[in-house]
Amino acid sequence: MAEFESKLPLEKNHVFEACHHVVKALRASDNNLDANLRKLLSDLESHLSTFVMVDDTEVEEDAGFSEIKERFKEAEKRILAWEQNQSTILEAGLSEADHFFQALYEVHTVLMGFSVKANQKEKDVYNQATVALDIAMLRLEKELCDVLCQHKQNVNLETLAVSSRGKEVVYNDESFVSLDDEVVVVAEASSHEDDADLVDPLVVPHVKAIANAMFACGYGQAFSGAFISVRREALEEYMFFTLEMERLSCVDVLQMEWEDLNGKMRKWTKVLKIITRIYLPSEKHLCEQILGEFDSVSTSCFVDISKDTVLSLLNFGEAVAMRPSQPEMLERFLSMYEATAEILLDVDNLFPDETGSFLRVAFHELSRKLADCTTATFLKFKDAIASNESTRAFPGGGIHHLTRYVMNYLKLLPEYKDALNSLLENLEVEDSITEITGQDILPSTFSPMARHLRSIVSTLESSLDRKAQLYADVSLKFIFLMNNFHYMVQKVKGSELRHFFGDEWIRKHIARYQRNVTNYERSTWSSVLSLIKDSNDSVDILRQRCRLFGLAFDDVYKNQTRWSVPDPELRDDLHISTSVKVVQSYRGFLGRNAVRIGEKHIRYTCEDIENLLLDLFECLPSPRSLLSSRRR
Amino acid sequence: MRPAQDNQGSFLGRISIRRNQFVDVNNEQEQEDLELFQRHIADRFTELLSPPPQQQPPSDEANTVAPVAATEQIMSVTWLRKLMDVFLCCEAEFKAILLMGRDPTQISKPPFDRLVPEMLDRSIKALDICTAVVNGIDSVRHYQRLAEIAVSALEQRPLGDGNVRRARRALANLVVALSLEDKENTSGGGGGGGNKTTERSWSFGRRSGGSSASKGGATIGQLKSSSWAVGRNWSAAKQIHAMTGNLNPPRGNEAAGLPQPMFIMSTVMVFVMWVLTAAVPCQERSGLANHLPVPPKHLSWAQSLIGIHEKIGDEWKKKEKKGSAGLMEEMTRMEKLGHSLIEFADAFHYPAEKEASESAAAQVAEMAEICRRMEEELVPLQQQIREVFHRIVRSRAEILEVLEQAGKLSAPVV
């Protein structure tokens, strides 16, 4: 650099110096100087200072200055050396990093030491220092990005508790969409304390040193900008690649087929928990570690890093909440609602202040919306059961798919009992159990959810009663009701549901299907057995009655082998109780009258009857021809 | 970050609440309401087209450098905020006309069985545009930060080569970002409207392998589909186009009834979305200018709206040729100032020449003023747009509820 100095005669130099002093003194003397005058003086002063003054003190200063300059040149060299170096300073080792920061400190000292009265040489050094600083800052920015990228770590999902829920396959028909077998992976963010390390903890002090240096040199914005962009990219990569979330528009969500959406909702619920309970707290922790000394910067960086991803999670929730609610969406809605309700506290902690308040508020709103949706869907579910009408009797009297659907559905709900209880708390419902009675002592039996569950099942019962009316055969009607009530009781007894329905409910419903058993036996067998009642009839009449009994039995056999009692135990019980009644009566009848009637007039032996009765309710495809197989 | 409530008073006060008083809507009353609605629409847009004389407080220190009119100029951030207010007012009034005191079955009969679903469909598309625009405003905030860096570097005294170098770098990034077209922004399959690209090259070509510094935008980072703000393959221009596809002015005796305000409201909605899309970076908008059919000129309520449309449309066509991130007035000025300050930086020699640095100082001050305005208004604008989003969601739900009451949309399943 061309250094030129004005070579002035010594005397003139003194005059200039004197002037300079006068001007300086004048400016210093009065702070209330007129603005114009002040400006004039300041101009004059800077003008005078451009002349180099050579005197004794100057020589001394020069000595001090040349040392500064020397050190600056050394520092500059160090900084520039890194320009050609592609590896990170971190890799070069601790002492190299120290040297770099030391060089930066030298440069910074030059800049800080600058005063208005600096001479030309000093100004030149100052100017060079601004350039060196900028080069160093740019180098640090690159260092920051490289280090953050190279030492990025992902949340290890295997450390998360994984639980699975098996689900029953449910009969699928035209109206109720099936619930398929599925395994749900629930991330339980059990331990908040041990945040994941998103960046290798070993490099954090280095990154922090970069932050301190850049902020001290007035390059804080550059640091934040680079930091945010790298960390945001890492979050996006995690969310959209590692977790395979998809960004979906409202149009996409509203047009999507239920099966597809079901999967997306499931994924959302899982991702929401991972992001808000594990990833973001860790991210926030990282921000605090590195930027903790610049409090508001740390907060705003964290919000900027997470905002985009968080908004896309919120958007999906909002879009889903706009779908017209369908009964089959209840469980998904419940789990989404439950997830949002669960994470509200986490979200409050993530965004406690003004900067992120819109995200905090948005989560609370979303949770409320999902609550509304879930309640609406729950009520729709009940409505759908109530309005489920059939036009013809359910063949075979087996378990109606509505019963299967409803009961299997209900079985999924205890999992969400807290969510449901809070949602249903203020919703009036008619309940069969009105007050605490002797047997039931569990509080869950009287929870809002329990009342609603019983109410749903009683809606189902009404619907089944209407369906039962469609049977022309009164006996089949009883079999149908028996099957369905038995199924309901089994489902309740064999699952968490029993704590909600309570013992009294179970007892009442067992009594109900047992009544159906009795009713069935009466309606089918009373007339048949009346044929072989004890009486003093003539041989002809006895023979006639024996024949009629055979025909009636054939008739029952033909019909009822096609009926269905799917539960093997229930079927066995029914076989036994029927057998006891029928075979005993028949054995008595034969015992008293067989001789008189004559063997050739007796169509069935007691053993025949006993064996044939076992074929009842086996849901055989076509009536078995009795005559060909049994006739001797 | 101011709470959203700040800007609610302005429109709530203006909603006509007179409908509350008429439960029994007869035909005459309805006619009167419709006329009033049209007049309000016309008034509001006239005000937007030519704002009333300034009431800007003279104490504003920036008056000397920033032309006062700029605050209210079409497409300025202040103007966009007004536009949001106007939209919310129109929407509230429209909903009152559509729903209040009306027999639900009335809007489920033909032709409404077609018109209402079409309108709801449009509103869902508008929601996605809101999302994209909110994201686009984030990009603008990124430009603001670049400009702030340039400003703070150029405000250093004495101004050294290093400061200028720093400013030059920020300005170069800024200018490139401001003139990037969506296609470039999103090439490689992502970019949510520009910020991703430019932020990734925050100060230098990171990930480029080389250390070549200071040419922002030179290396567009590898973009991913994950960066889409709204969804893969989503296009703002296509959405606008789809919204206008079935938007026709009512004819015959429909023109006198409820179809008329429905048409007006849909037009206003599409228009507002179109303006937002043009104002800030937005995912995929090629051919945006062609996508908005202008409502028939003879409609009195539409005059000012057409006027604004023409102004913006002309600007867009001009910009589309050379590429632009958005027509927001502040961005346009930023770009101009950016270029001019880059010139200053390129010609700079230490120590600064007095004349050059004085004129640069004035530009720096103007840039600082733009940044200040953005700092004040961008976040509230974002909040207003989210408010619009929620309003549309709520109205949609209310309309669906009424339709459900009418029994026309009874439970679809079971």
Side-chain angles (χ1 to χ4, degrees):
Chain A
M1 187 173 295
E3 290 179 25
F4 58 94
E5 295 164 12
S6 15
K7 297 286 181 203
L8 294 165
L10 203 65
E11 308 87 314
K12 221 174 176 182
N13 217 348
H14 282 301
V15 177
F16 273 119
E17 201 186 347
C19 266
H20 197 171
H21 278 293
V22 170
V23 171
K24 234 167 106 176
L26 202 57
R27 285 189 63 201
S29 69
D30 190 358
N31 282 331
N32 301 323
L33 278 179
D34 173 65
N36 285 333
L37 185 54
R38 191 200 295 266
K39 173 135 180 22
L40 196 76
L41 289 174
S42 140
D43 285 352
L44 187 56
E45 190 184 25
S46 64
H47 197 69
L48 287 169
S49 68
T50 56
F51 295 95
V52 174
M53 283 145 259
V54 191
D55 62 4
D56 297 346
T57 52
E58 176 83 2
V59 174
E60 241 174 64
E61 272 175 21
D62 238 359
F65 171 68
S66 50
E67 196 203 320
I68 291 176
K69 187 174 171 180
E70 197 63 26
R71 280 164 60 184
F72 167 70
K73 284 290 165 196
E74 202 48 43
E76 189 186 34
K77 221 188 284 170
R78 238 178 232 294
I79 288 168
L80 289 176
W82 276 104
E83 276 294 88
Q84 298 311 315
N85 198 335
Q86 285 308 309
S87 59
T88 61
I89 302 171
L90 183 71
E91 282 166 338
L94 209 57
S95 77
E96 273 303 310
D98 269 355
H99 284 146
F100 188 89
F101 286 118
Q102 186 57 41
L104 191 56
Y105 176 74
E106 300 286 352
V107 173
H108 193 231
T109 312
V110 171
L111 290 170
M112 290 288 103
F114 181 79
S115 76
V116 207
K117 61 169 187 172
N119 62 35
Q120 188 59 43
K121 276 188 200 160
E122 287 169 343
K123 283 186 174 173
D124 281 340
V125 170
Y126 165 83
N127 187 41
Q128 289 162 30
T130 62
V131 176
L133 180 77
D134 193 55
I135 292 172
M137 288 296 121
L138 201 58
R139 186 62 186 77
L140 281 187
E141 203 182 308
K142 176 175 158 35
E143 174 83 4
L144 170 71
C145 296
D146 289 347
V147 167
L148 284 178
C149 290
Q150 286 166 14
H151 300 273
K152 185 173 69 182
Q153 294 180 342
N154 261 349
V155 175
N156 186 5
L157 277 182
E158 284 173 13
T159 60
L160 304 176
V162 170
S163 77
S164 63
R165 266 183 250 168
K167 279 168 200 178
E168 195 159 338
V169 187
V170 174
Y171 193 88
N172 191 359
D173 82 333
E174 69 285 340
S175 54
F176 279 91
V177 178
S178 77
L179 294 165
D180 43 313
D181 252 336
E182 46 205 35
V183 174
V184 187
V185 179
V186 186
E188 283 169 18
S190 41
S191 50
H192 281 257
E193 284 66 33
D194 44 10
D195 286 336
D197 288 314
L198 300 177
V199 168
D200 186 343
L202 290 176
V203 308
V204 168
H206 184 61
V207 175
K208 198 173 153 79
I210 296 175
N212 289 341
M214 290 183 78
F215 273 89
C217 296
Y219 277 69
Q221 269 179 312
F223 179 91
S224 308
F227 184 75
I228 290 168
S229 108
V230 176
R231 292 308 307 158
R232 183 155 89 174
E233 195 176 309
L235 173 54
E236 277 176 6
E237 192 180 300
Y238 182 67
M239 168 117 150
F240 298 107
F241 288 90
T242 311
L243 297 180
E244 295 176 323
M245 267 298 272
E246 238 179 296
R247 282 187 203 263
L248 294 168
S249 66
C250 293
V251 173
D252 290 340
V253 171
L254 285 163
Q255 286 174 351
M256 197 174 283
E257 293 293 322
W258 163 238
E259 279 75 18
D260 293 337
L261 185 65
N262 188 19
K264 307 260 189 257
M265 287 165 91
R266 196 184 290 283
K267 171 152 249 159
W268 183 89
T269 309
K270 177 182 142 192
V271 169
L272 179 74
K273 287 186 189 172
I274 296 172
I275 293 289
T276 55
R277 308 190 107 175
I278 297 156
Y279 193 99
L280 288 183
S282 311
E283 186 73 55
K284 189 173 178 162
H285 183 60
L286 181 68
C287 289
E288 280 162 2
Q289 275 180 302
I290 290 166
L291 294 166
E293 282 156 49
F294 318 96
D295 201 25
S296 67
V297 180
S298 163
T299 312
S300 72
C301 278
F302 172 66
V303 171
D304 278 340
I305 290 166
S306 48
K307 182 165 85 175
D308 198 39
T309 303
V310 167
L311 279 178
S312 93
L313 280 171
L314 283 164
N315 269 343
F316 178 82
E318 301 259 9
V320 165
M322 280 196 293
R323 299 251 318 190
S325 53
Q326 292 155 255
E328 65 266 27
M329 292 170 88
L330 179 60
E331 201 211 352
R332 282 283 76 72
F333 269 140
L334 261 172
S335 66
M336 280 178 74
Y337 162 71
E338 190 186 55
T340 55
E342 273 174 22
I343 58 145
L344 285 184
L345 216 61
D346 303 82
V347 170
D348 289 350
N349 289 331
L350 286 174
F351 307 107
D353 41 27
E354 192 65 32
T355 324
S357 62
F358 70 106
L359 293 173
R360 191 178 66 228
V361 171
F363 268 109
H364 283 263
E365 273 174 18
L366 177 63
S367 185
R368 202 173 34 72
K369 271 188 199 171
L370 287 171
D372 291 347
C373 270
T374 310
T375 315
T377 310
F378 188 83
L379 296 177
K380 259 206 176 133
F381 178 55
K382 197 169 150 184
D383 288 348
I385 299 166
S387 61
N388 182 283
E389 297 296 347
S390 313
T391 45
R392 53 195 180 82
F394 188 71
I399 296 149
H400 197 274
H401 42 74
L402 181 69
T403 315
R404 286 181 196 271
Y405 184 87
V406 172
M407 294 316 292
N408 286 321
Y409 212 121
L410 296 189
K411 265 175 70 179
L412 303 175
L413 301 184
E415 180 112 17
Y416 307 99
K417 60 173 181 293
D418 293 338
L420 268 174
N421 275 329
S422 75
L423 287 176
L424 300 173
E425 197 161 20
N426 298 315
L427 225 59
E428 289 282 310
V429 68
E430 271 183 39
D431 183 21
S432 53
I433 300 179
T434 44
E435 57 193 77
I436 298 180
T437 50
Q439 281 188 314
D440 286 308
I441 43 164
L442 286 175
S444 58
T445 313
F446 306 97
S447 62
M449 172 174 160
R451 296 191 183 285
H452 279 272
L453 291 185
R454 284 190 292 265
S455 160
I456 283 185
V457 171
S458 80
T459 309
L460 172 65
E461 289 166 19
S462 315
S463 176
L464 290 173
D465 280 335
R466 286 196 305 280
K467 293 183 197 315
Q469 299 310 317
L470 298 168
Y471 289 103
D473 188 330
V474 136
S475 300
L476 184 53
K477 171 178 131 180
F478 291 128
I479 291 293
F480 172 75
L481 288 173
M482 173 201 73
N483 274 328
N484 284 278
F485 274 80
H486 178 264
Y487 184 83
M488 280 154 49
V489 170
Q490 290 306 109
K491 285 289 160 180
V492 169
K493 271 170 73 180
S495 73
E496 281 295 296
L497 286 176
R498 66 182 179 280
H499 303 309
F500 294 89
F501 282 80
D503 289 341
E504 184 179 336
W505 186 94
I506 293 174
R507 209 163 26 78
K508 276 186 177 166
H509 283 72
I510 290 176
R512 175 111 195 236
Y513 76 71
Q514 282 173 342
R515 206 154 57 236
N516 285 316
V517 173
T518 318
N519 286 339
Y520 154 77
E521 286 172 352
R522 187 178 305 136
S523 71
T524 292
W525 296 108
S526 296
S527 55
V528 178
L529 295 182
S530 68
L531 293 169
I532 50 174
K533 260 206 293 225
D534 229 3
S535 58
N536 295 318
D537 285 322
S538 65
V539 173
D540 277 355
I541 291 177
L542 278 175
R543 279 183 186 154
Q544 171 75 350
R545 275 166 55 186
C546 187
R547 196 177 62 87
L548 284 174
F549 172 80
L551 287 175
F553 186 84
D554 284 353
D555 209 34
V556 169
Y557 184 87
K558 202 173 75 191
N559 272 326
Q560 301 196 1
T561 47
R562 283 184 295 162
W563 294 2
S564 164
V565 178
D567 186 83
E569 263 179 58
L570 182 63
R571 197 168 56 227
D572 282 351
D573 288 351
L574 202 57
H575 282 154
I576 290 166
S577 71
T578 310
S579 191
V580 165
K581 266 194 162 165
V582 177
V583 177
Q584 270 183 7
S585 306
Y586 192 53
R587 182 171 287 128
F589 175 72
L590 288 186
R592 288 186 302 277
N593 306 311
V595 181
R596 289 174 67 198
I597 294 170
E599 200 187 340
K600 70 172 188 169
H601 295 285
I602 299 172
R603 198 154 152 220
Y604 295 117
T605 65
C606 284
E607 288 68 39
D608 288 337
I609 295 288
E610 209 169 344
N611 288 330
L612 287 171
L613 280 174
L614 291 177
D615 289 342
L616 299 189
F617 319 116
E618 289 287 357
C619 199
L620 300 175
S622 56
R624 198 172 279 176
S625 170
L626 283 170
L627 290 171
S628 57
S629 64
R630 298 280 173 178
R631 185 63 236 169
R632 314 175 253 158
Chain B
M1 309 261 170
R2 274 157 293 277
Q5 284 83 332
D6 270 7
N7 44 51
Q8 290 197 342
S10 52
F11 68 85
L12 281 176
R14 286 154 66 188
I15 297 170
S16 160
I17 51 158
R18 48 191 289 284
R19 288 192 59 90
N20 282 322
Q21 299 148 18
F22 298 94
V23 177
D24 187 1
V25 184
N26 58 33
N27 206 27
E28 215 169 278
Q29 179 63 51
E30 179 153 313
Q31 276 312 310
E32 207 177 296
D33 283 349
L34 295 190
E35 271 161 35
L36 203 63
F37 178 62
Q38 296 193 18
R39 205 159 64 233
H40 286 163
I41 299 274
D43 289 350
R44 288 180 189 128
F45 279 92
T46 306
E47 204 175 300
L48 280 172
L49 179 61
S50 41
Q54 283 302 314
Q55 299 127 13
Q56 191 82 358
S59 62
D60 194 338
E61 57 181 41
N63 273 357
T64 47
V65 281
V68 177
T71 54
E72 289 281 323
Q73 218 167 314
I74 286 189
M75 292 305 247
S76 69
V77 61
T78 314
W79 185 86
L80 289 169
R81 292 191 56 196
K82 271 185 134 180
L83 180 69
M84 291 302 106
D85 278 347
V86 163
F87 176 81
L88 289 170
C89 289
C90 296
E91 210 274 342
E93 198 174 335
F94 167 72
K95 204 168 63 185
I97 289 179
L98 183 68
L99 299 180
M100 273 170 103
R102 189 175 293 283
D103 174 8
T105 55
Q106 211 180 333
I107 59 164
S108 54
K109 286 191 296 224
F112 300 103
D113 58 342
R114 175 176 56 85
L115 291 177
V116 172
E118 279 176 6
M119 190 177 69
L120 294 178
D121 191 52
R122 258 175 237 126
S123 70
I124 293 167
K125 294 189 167 72
L127 293 180
D128 287 331
I129 292 178
C130 287
T131 305
V133 170
V134 166
N135 189 268
I137 295 176
D138 275 341
S139 306
V140 182
R141 280 172 50 75
H142 173 65
Y143 309 151
Q144 178 200 331
R145 284 186 210 114
L146 288 172
E148 279 168 359
I149 288 180
V151 166
S152 80
L154 290 174
E155 276 173 349
Q156 294 295 317
R157 290 295 176 272
L159 189 61
D161 280 327
N163 308 122
V164 174
R165 194 181 111 110
R166 183 185 184 194
R168 169 80 174 71
R169 196 166 59 234
L171 290 167
N173 278 336
L174 174 67
V175 168
V176 168
L178 281 170
S179 60
L180 272 187
E181 267 193 275
D182 311 320
K183 271 200 197 99
E184 296 169 49
N185 273 341
T186 55
S187 68
N195 61 333
K196 306 298 186 318
T197 315
T198 48
E199 259 175 74
R200 245 149 233 177
S201 50
W202 175 246
S203 284
F204 52 86
R206 191 162 71 73
R207 296 270 173 97
S208 59
S211 68
S212 63
S214 78
K215 283 280 183 278
T219 40
I220 291 173
Q222 205 219 338
L223 298 164
K224 305 161 190 157
S225 58
S226 73
S227 309
W228 289 110
V230 183
R232 207 179 304 224
N233 302 327
W234 187 87
S235 148
K238 274 189 202 147
Q239 295 304 306
I240 298 275
H241 186 59
M243 284 168 88
T244 54
N246 47 17
L247 183 58
N248 300 312
R251 270 168 243 249
N253 50 359
E254 279 183 14
L258 201 49
Q260 184 67 17
M262 287 176 75
F263 171 70
I264 296 176
M265 192 58 222
S266 285
T267 307
V268 168
M269 180 188 273
V270 179
F271 176 73
V272 167
M273 293 304 145
W274 178 80
V275 172
L276 288 176
T277 315
V280 299
C282 202
Q283 192 172 325
E284 186 49 52
R285 349 165 242 199
S286 48
L288 190 65
N290 312 324
H291 278 324
L292 192 69
V294 184
K297 294 225 190 257
H298 67 271
L299 297 169
S300 62
W301 58 268
Q303 295 305 315
S304 296
L305 189 146
I306 294 170
I308 300 170
H309 176 256
E310 280 168 358
K311 278 194 178 185
I312 299 174
D314 287 348
E315 278 302 302
W316 180 259
K317 276 179 192 144
K318 257 189 264 167
K319 288 273 174 183
E320 210 173 24
K321 284 194 195 108
K322 68 183 192 78
S324 164
L327 296 182
M328 184 186 278
E329 197 264 344
E330 282 80 359
M331 284 164 62
T332 315
R333 271 202 292 153
M334 232 177 209
E335 194 182 353
K336 224 178 274 167
L337 287 169
H339 279 297
S340 144
L341 284 172
I342 286 176
E343 260 173 46
F344 164 77
D346 286 343
F348 180 83
H349 281 294
Y350 181 83
E353 292 160 39
K354 202 163 184 235
E355 208 174 301
S357 60
E358 266 170 18
S359 87
Q363 290 174 339
V364 170
E366 191 181 346
M367 189 75 110
E369 167 61 17
I370 295 175
C371 290
R372 193 187 61 79
R373 180 152 296 138
M374 283 184 164
E375 179 66 29
E376 267 173 23
E377 308 237 44
L378 283 179
V379 171
L381 177 63
Q382 265 182 327
Q383 283 168 345
Q384 274 175 300
I385 295 171
R386 283 197 69 78
E387 161 78 17
V388 165
F389 181 101
H390 286 118
R391 177 74 77 79
I392 294 174
V393 170
R394 218 176 314 143
S395 298
R396 183 177 172 277
E398 283 169 39
I399 292 170
L400 285 176
E401 206 173 304
V402 169
L403 286 178
E404 201 165 357
Q405 275 172 26
K408 293 286 172 186
L409 267 185
S410 56
V413 195
V414 182

